[in-house]
Amino acid sequence: MSYRIIALDLDGTLLTPRKTILPESLEALKKAQQAGVKVAIVTGRHHVAIHPFYQALALDTPAICCNGTYLYDYHAKKVLQADPLPKEQALRVIEMLDEAGIHGLLYVDDAMLYQTETGHVTRTIDWGLSLPEHQRPVFNKVDSLAQAAKDAGSIWKFALSHPDTVALQHFAERVEKEMGLACEWSWHDQVDIAKAGNSKGKRLAQWVESEGYQMSDVLAFGDNYNDLSMLETVGLGVAMGNADEAIKARAGRVIGTNLEPGIAETIYREVL
């Protein structure tokens, strides 16, 4: 058994387009855990938006959230490690968003906040309403993102979406150049902004080391640019068939799409 840890991105990877987990994946991951392999979620999501998947997998590991910004212990209900965005930088990003006419979600403490409802916001609200009440994410409308940022204890990230992806790209490049923040694409029309230095790969490496393992002991699955920092540094980084060609080219292996049982097949081949 060459890999002792399985690291999983959620959207576009473990999750189908309908935000469900394939039964084949559930079964393979259950068998891996029974064999003593640790399974960890490594996601761009806020911890309040992971409940149904964390519970379906019956995990006992902390989750790496918001592209590595923090490590969250679900059982203790507390943040274990974090590098949040400084408030003054968050407030400047909000000013720039207003100037550019781009809307963003603000991920803070134990909630996701929005000021203007966009398609991304509507989809998230609808998804939350489809869940049992105890699994629904905390997703609140605020009168002012700037005031919400001032009131927050910790600011994890911004999730920006815009129908004009070129305008979004230009905005991200401006934020990187002027402020030195980390801007990563987590979906085809979404850019995440977080404190510089944060990444899935960095936080995963810290946690793996704390567990007494090395990154060579890790099998990781991902589909987007925010996954590259872990796909390129683990023992085997696996890209989904629905990933961009640029992601596939930099992964150790490419499997089928998130509608096919490639994750399960890889686990049986490489772990069990």
Side-chain angles (χ1 to χ4, degrees):
M1 196 184 298
S2 56
Y3 300 108
R4 306 302 304 162
I5 294 174
I6 299 172
L8 295 155
D9 169 56
L10 289 177
D11 296 284
T13 301
L14 182 65
L15 304 185
T16 69
R18 299 188 65 173
K19 308 305 179 190
T20 60
I21 303 175
L22 294 175
E24 296 93 337
S25 298
L26 282 172
E27 182 65 19
L29 289 164
K30 179 180 178 182
K31 288 181 178 177
Q33 290 180 83
Q34 290 172 341
V37 176
K38 295 181 180 294
V39 175
I41 288 174
V42 186
T43 182
R45 288 184 177 230
H46 195 298
H47 70 267
V48 300
I50 305 174
H51 291 296
F53 319 120
Y54 192 90
Q55 291 165 9
L57 295 169
L59 299 180
D60 58 3
T61 51
I64 293 171
C65 302
C66 289
N67 300 325
T69 296
Y70 66 106
L71 184 69
Y72 187 78
D73 185 329
Y74 268 95
H75 300 280
K77 291 188 169 69
K78 69 176 183 178
V79 173
L80 301 177
Q81 298 173 340
D83 291 290
L85 193 61
K87 286 193 180 184
E88 60 274 15
Q89 289 188 313
L91 291 169
R92 176 56 187 146
V93 170
I94 293 169
E95 288 178 357
M96 294 170 69
L97 286 171
D98 290 341
E99 293 166 4
I102 293 175
H103 301 301
L105 302 181
L106 182 64
Y107 287 38
V108 303
D109 303 316
D110 296 305
M112 298 178 291
L113 310 175
Y114 67 95
Q115 186 173 324
T116 302
E117 186 166 334
T118 61
H120 180 204
V121 169
T122 302
R123 290 192 298 272
T124 304
I125 292 172
D126 291 344
W127 171 72
L129 292 174
S130 74
L131 299 171
E133 192 168 349
H134 70 281
Q135 290 186 337
R136 290 177 187 171
V138 182
F139 198 56
N140 298 330
K141 187 178 191 305
V142 296
D143 294 330
S144 166
L145 279 186
Q147 188 59 50
K150 292 174 184 176
D151 294 340
S154 296
I155 299 170
W156 305 132
K157 75 168 188 177
F158 288 90
L160 313 182
S161 60
H162 197 274
D164 184 347
T165 54
V166 174
L168 199 56
Q169 175 74 41
H170 289 160
F171 184 83
E173 290 172 353
R174 182 185 169 202
V175 168
E176 285 183 325
K177 181 180 179 180
E178 293 184 15
M179 302 187 64
L181 298 179
C183 297
E184 293 187 304
W185 290 84
S186 58
W187 203 243
H188 63 89
D189 63 350
Q190 180 176 313
V191 171
D192 295 341
I193 298 177
K195 184 179 179 181
N198 287 337
S199 71
K200 290 186 175 186
K202 180 180 177 181
R203 189 69 65 188
L204 177 62
Q206 290 174 350
W207 177 71
V208 165
E209 183 179 357
S210 75
E211 292 293 313
Y213 295 103
Q214 299 176 341
M215 287 291 269
S216 58
D217 298 315
V218 181
L219 169 64
F221 297 88
D223 77 303
N224 223 311
Y225 291 90
N226 62 335
D227 297 313
L228 285 173
S229 61
M230 70 172 180
L231 295 182
E232 294 186 316
T233 54
V234 296
L236 177 60
V238 181
M240 306 302 293
N242 46 282
D244 284 354
E245 293 303 316
I247 308 297
K248 296 177 185 177
R250 293 168 64 177
R253 182 177 300 170
V254 179
I255 57 175
T257 73
N258 56 339
L259 282 169
E260 300 173 271
I263 289 177
E265 292 167 358
T266 303
I267 291 171
Y268 287 123
R269 184 183 305 117
E270 300 292 342
V271 178
L272 297 174

